C-alpha cells in the first residue's frame, strides 16, 4: 500500500514537471504562441497571396482534423467497449477473427479519395490565383527583378531607368508600393536559391538560366522579413532580405532619392545590435537589443533614409572615399556618381566607382537598415565588423574566400573607420 501511494505521488510530480516543461517550451518560442505572429510567420499574413496559401493550409488542417476525430473516436469506442472487465475476460479465447470486409475497404478508399478531392479544390484554386497577377489587376502591377547570388539578393527596377546607366539597382532590401500587386522576376545567378517572404508570398525557386516569377501584394505599409529558402551553400542560413512596403507618396519619394547619384558627404555613431534580429521577444538592454532597430524596424528604416548631418565628418568621409579606391573596393562595388582623381602613370586621372553588376550596389547603402544580406544591423559598429572580418559573419563569402579580405587588402582601424563613415554617408 505504501509503495503504491509513493508511486502515485511520484507520478503526480512527474506530470507537473512535464506540464511546466511544456509551458517553458511554448513561452520560449520567438513569438506570441497564440497569435503566431513571429517575423517569419505564415499564419499572420499581410497580403492576398500569403492569405490564399494560408487558406490551403487550413483546408488541409480541417480535413485531417475530421479524419483524426473519426479514427480516434472509433479507437476510443473499441478500447472502452471491448476492454477486459474481469479476470475471466482476460483469459477468454479471442473472438472469431474477420478476414477483410469489402464494404469497409471500398468505403475507406472512397473516403480517402473524397478527402483528397476536398483538399484539391482549394489547392488548385490557390495555384491558379498565386501563379500570376489577376487579369483585372495587371495594369496596376509594378515590376521588379530579383537575382539570387551566393549569398545576397539583388533587386532591379526595370521601370526606373537611370540615364546612361540602366535600371535602378539595390541590394537586400526590396522596397515596394503597398496595396499594389508587385510582379517579381526571379533568377539564380550561380546556384539555385529560393525567394520567400513568409508574410507576403513564396516560396519560388530562383534558378540559373530559367526565368521564374511570382507576385505579391502588401495590404498596408510595413516591414517584412525574407529568407532564401533553398540550400545554396555555406551561408544559406544567413542569406536573408527585407521587404519594405510604402504608401504611394513615400514610395515615390524613395524612388526619387534612389534615382539620384550617391550623396557627396554621414551618419550617427552609436554602437548597436549584434545580429539584425529575427526575434520579436527582445528585452530592453539585453545584449543585442537595439532601441532604434528592434523597437520599430519600419521607423528605423524611415529614419535611415536621412543623413544625420550633425554627426557627419566630411574630412573622414572624403578619406573613406579615397580608401574605397585605393583598396580597390570600387572594382566590385558600384557607387553611382562617385569617382576620385588619382595619379596614374604621372598623370591625374578620374576613376569612377563603376563596380560590377555581380556584386552588391552600394550607391545608397547608408539608407538600408541591414547589411550582409539582412544579417547585421547597418550601424557603424556592425559595418566595421563586416568589412574587417566578413568570414565571421558569412562563412565562405566572396570578399573572404577570394583572399581579398584580409589577405590582399589589409585594412588598418583607421581605414575601417574612414570606409564606414563614407559608406554610411551614401543615402
Ligand atoms: Cu540562397 Cu539559400
Amino acid at each position: 500500500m505504501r509503495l503504491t501511494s509513493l508511486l502515485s505521488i511520484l507520478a503526480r510530480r512527474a506530470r507537473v514537471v512535464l506540464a511546466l516543461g511544456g509551458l517553458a517550451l511554448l513561452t520560449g518560442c520567438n513569438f506570441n504562441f497564440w497569435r503566431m505572429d513571429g517575423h517569419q510567420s505564415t499564419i499572420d499574413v499581410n497580403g492576398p497571396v500569403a492569405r490564399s496559401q494560408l487558406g490551403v493550409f487550413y483546408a488541409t488542417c480541417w480535413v485531417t482534423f475530421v479524419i483524426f476525430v473519426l479514427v480516434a473516436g472509433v479507437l476510443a469506442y473499441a478500447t472502452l467497449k471491448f476492454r477486459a472487465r474481469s479476470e475471466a475476460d482476460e483469459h477468454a479465447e479471442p473472438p472469431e477473427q474477420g478476414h477483410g470486409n469489402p464494404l469497409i475497404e471500398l468505403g475507406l478508399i472512397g473516403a480517402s479519395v473524397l478527402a483528397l478531392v476536398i483538399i484539391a479544390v482549394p489547392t488548385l484554386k490557390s495555384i491558379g490565383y498565386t501563379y500570376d497577377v489577376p487579369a483585372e489587376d495587371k495594369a496596376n502591377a509594378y515590376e521588379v527583378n530579383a537575382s539570387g547570388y551566393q549569398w545576397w539578393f539583388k533587386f532591379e527596377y526595370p521601370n526606373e531607368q537611370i540615364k546612361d546607366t540602366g535600371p535602378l539597382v539595390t541590394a537586400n532590401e526590396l522596397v515596394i508600393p503597398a496595396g499594389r500587386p508587385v510582379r517579381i522576376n526571379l533568377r539564380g545567378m550561380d546556384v539555385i536559391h529560393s525567394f520567400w517572404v513568409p508574410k507576403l508570398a513564396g516560396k519560388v525557386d530562383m534558378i540559373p538560366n530559367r526565368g521564374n516569377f511570382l507576385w505579391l501584394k502588401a495590404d498596408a505599409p510595413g516591414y517584412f522579413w525574407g529568407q532564401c529558402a533553398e540550400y545554396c551553400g555555406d551561408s544559406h542560413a544567413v542569406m536573408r532580405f527585407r521587404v519594405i512596403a510604402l504608401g504611394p507618396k513615400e514610395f515615390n519619394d524613395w524612388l526619387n532619392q534612389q534615382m539620384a547619384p550617391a550623396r557627396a558627404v554621414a551618419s550617427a555613431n552609436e554602437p548597436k545590435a549584434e545580429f539584425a534580429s529575427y526575434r520579436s521577444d527582445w528585452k530592453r538592454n539585453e545584449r543585442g537589443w537595439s532601441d532604434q532597430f528592434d523597437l520599430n524596424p519600419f521607423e528605423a528604416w524611415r529614419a535611415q533614409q536621412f543623413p544625420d548631418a550633425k554627426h557627419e565628418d566630411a574630412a573622414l568621409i572624403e578619406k573613406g572615399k579615397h580608401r574605397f579606391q585605393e583598396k580597390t573596393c570600387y572594382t566590385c562595388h558600384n557607387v553611382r556618381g562617385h569617382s576620385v582623381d588619382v595619379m596614374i602613370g604621372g598623370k591625374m586621372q578620374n576613376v569612377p566607382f563603376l563596380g560590377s553588376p555581380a556584386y552588391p550596389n552600394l550607391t545608397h547603402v547608408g539608407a538600408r537598415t541591414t547589411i550582409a544580406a539582412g544579417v547585421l544591423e547597418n550601424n557603424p559598429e556592425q559595418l566595421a565588423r563586416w568589412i574587417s572580418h566578413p568570414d565571421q559573419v558569412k562563412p565562405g563569402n566572396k570578399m573572404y574566400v577570394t583572399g581579398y579580405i584580409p589577405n590582399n587588402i589589409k585594412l588598418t582601424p583607421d581605414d575601417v573607420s574612414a570606409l564606414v563613415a563614407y559608406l554610411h554617408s551614401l543615402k
Side-chain angles (χ1 to χ4, degrees), residues 43-214:
I43 306 286
D44 176 35
V45 292
N46 288 261
V49 175
R51 206 170 292 122
S52 164
Q53 291 168 332
L54 181 62
V56 175
F57 173 71
Y58 279 144
T60 314
C61 282
W62 278 115
V63 169
T64 45
F65 179 70
V66 169
I67 293 172
F68 168 75
V69 168
L70 289 176
V71 172
V74 171
L75 182 66
Y77 171 79
T79 310
L80 288 174
K81 170 132 175 122
F82 301 109
R83 72 187 189 278
R85 288 190 172 79
S86 63
E87 193 78 358
D89 276 354
E90 277 178 43
H91 300 292
E93 283 294 312
E96 199 188 318
Q97 300 294 294
H99 295 282
N101 180 326
L103 200 67
I104 290 182
E105 281 165 22
L106 286 174
L108 286 178
I109 291 172
S112 311
V113 170
L114 182 71
L116 290 176
V117 169
I118 293 174
I119 294 174
V121 171
T123 304
L124 291 172
K125 251 174 82 178
S126 182
I127 289 174
Y129 177 71
T130 58
Y131 178 68
D132 203 352
V133 182
E136 67 275 15
D137 244 358
K138 271 239 160 83
N140 189 30
Y142 190 77
E143 197 182 3
V144 180
N145 300 333
S147 310
Y149 290 83
Q150 282 173 318
W151 291 273
W152 61 285
F153 290 89
K154 176 162 88 181
F155 300 116
E156 268 176 348
Y157 294 72
N159 300 319
E160 322 301 336
Q161 292 289 333
I162 300 166
K163 204 168 159 275
D164 303 330
T165 305
L168 171 64
V169 183
T170 181
N172 301 323
E173 294 198 359
L174 171 62
V175 178
I176 58 166
R180 255 177 94 177
V182 179
R183 195 175 191 277
I184 306 175
N185 304 308
L186 305 167
R187 285 284 194 305
M189 305 308 283
D190 32 38
V191 299
I192 300 177
H193 304 272
S194 177
F195 185 94
W196 188 33
V197 196
K199 293 195 177 198
L200 297 178
K203 330 154 171 172
V204 174
D205 276 2
M206 310 171 92
I207 303 171
N209 297 321
R210 192 199 134 107
N212 244 355
F213 63 89
L214 62 67

Side-chain angles (χ1 to χ4, degrees), residues 235 238 275 371-372 375-376 382 385-386 389-395 397:
S235 282
V238 285
F275 276 75
I371 44 171
V375 175
L376 296 174
Q382 299 305 331
R385 178 181 167 193
W386 172 230
H389 300 287
D391 53 310
Q392 288 180 359
V393 179
K394 282 199 149 174
N397 80 85

